[in-house]
Amino acid sequence: GAVVSQHPSRVICKSGTSVKIECRSLDFQATTMFWYRQFPKQSLMLMATSNEGSKATYEQGVEKDKFLINHASLTLSTLTVTSAHPEDSSFYICSARGAGGVTDTQYFGPGTRLTVL
Amino acid sequence: KQEVTQIPAALSVPEGENLVLNCSFTDSAIYNLQWFRQDPGKGLTSLLLIQSSQREQTSGRLNASLDKSSGRSTLYIAASQPGDSATYLCAVGGRYALNFGKGTSLLVTP
């Protein structure tokens, strides 16, 4: 299947700093990319959906000014957690979907473990 | 809002057993349903994708069924192995996004 990478895999930062997470589709063009957050023993919760070249669509309760998403190319999306706080500590997972639309498979990255001290 | 429930939350079986994981959802207007595997601290691996027009999909020892009208899907694992130990997530595909259940944590003991 298709491969999606994330970088970094793990990051520890101080409260108040900003952290950027990259999500790349390595062998296909990702028309749409998704960002999820997963707290321990919880389900994946969708944060936002981004289409290449467009502004991201954020889910209710997700602050767009805090979680900046850029999807500048068909193979790269970035999530920047601005002014991170300890409650932002979580497992962030991206996924990518090709041009097949809603019936197409989403391929998931390996995740990024963010710890804010 | 789509609600996805997975039962049981945790399951422990001896190696070699056949087992069934259950997933139910509240809104039958779905595009597809996917089963994923997640190892501790890792991302998701897609196991099976069932489109809304399909009834089941098979891959190796795995078989997933879908009954849209009753809002249910099952994942059948035949002849379980210790390497099958992981969390299995059910995700229902709507128009815009996947809605995930909390998963079933499976432990297969040698």
Side-chain angles (χ1 to χ4, degrees):
Chain A
V3 179
V4 175
S5 70
Q6 276 184 247
H7 179 80
S9 59
R10 188 179 297 267
V11 58
I12 301 173
C13 68
K14 291 183 178 180
S15 184
T17 60
S18 294
V19 175
K20 179 186 284 189
I21 303 170
E22 291 186 348
C23 176
R24 294 182 184 272
S25 57
L26 299 185
D27 50 5
F28 71 103
Q29 293 188 326
T31 305
T32 306
M33 285 186 166
F34 305 85
W35 286 95
Y36 295 83
R37 181 166 53 183
Q38 185 181 34
F39 292 105
K41 297 192 184 300
Q42 296 297 313
S43 180
L44 275 74
M45 298 300 295
L46 179 67
M47 299 175 66
T49 303
S50 71
N51 291 295
E52 184 264 338
S54 304
K55 286 185 179 180
T57 301
Y58 289 81
E59 295 299 299
Q60 192 172 10
V62 178
E63 301 174 56
K64 63 179 182 180
D65 294 330
K66 180 171 181 64
F67 298 99
L68 302 179
I69 292 172
N70 183 282
H71 190 170
S73 78
L74 284 171
T75 60
L76 173 65
S77 176
T78 60
L79 167 67
T80 301
V81 183
T82 62
S83 187
H85 288 96
E87 58 264 31
D88 298 324
S89 298
S90 186
F91 193 54
Y92 291 85
I93 306 179
C94 74
S95 71
R97 188 176 70 195
V102 296
T103 58
D104 212 348
T105 300
Q106 283 187 34
Y107 297 96
F108 284 78
T112 296
R113 173 74 58 191
L114 170 64
T115 302
V116 185
L117 302 176
Chain B
K1 184 182 183 293
Q2 180 74 269
E3 300 287 341
V4 182
T5 303
Q6 289 187 246
I7 295 174
L11 182 63
S12 180
V13 299
E15 180 177 9
E17 275 203 7
N18 302 323
L19 55 101
V20 175
L21 307 182
N22 297 290
C23 172
S24 61
F25 48 95
T26 54
D27 186 350
S28 61
I30 68 172
Y31 282 78
N32 53 43
L33 185 144
Q34 274 186 268
W35 283 93
F36 294 90
R37 170 186 172 135
Q38 185 176 29
D39 292 286
K42 304 292 185 183
L44 275 63
T45 300
S46 180
L47 298 174
L48 290 164
L49 167 66
I50 311 175
Q51 301 295 350
S52 63
S53 58
Q54 298 174 324
R55 299 281 296 188
E56 67 176 344
Q57 283 285 336
T58 298
S59 175
R61 294 181 295 108
L62 305 179
N63 175 276
S65 67
L66 174 64
D67 184 343
K68 266 200 335 177
S69 59
S70 67
R72 296 180 188 276
S73 176
T74 60
L75 178 66
Y76 176 82
I77 302 177
S80 59
Q81 303 170 357
D84 295 332
S85 299
T87 296
Y88 290 80
L89 295 167
C90 166
V92 175
R95 179 175 175 81
Y96 299 108
L98 289 176
N99 290 284
F100 283 83
K102 290 187 177 181
T104 293
S105 178
L106 173 65
L107 176 64
V108 181
T109 56

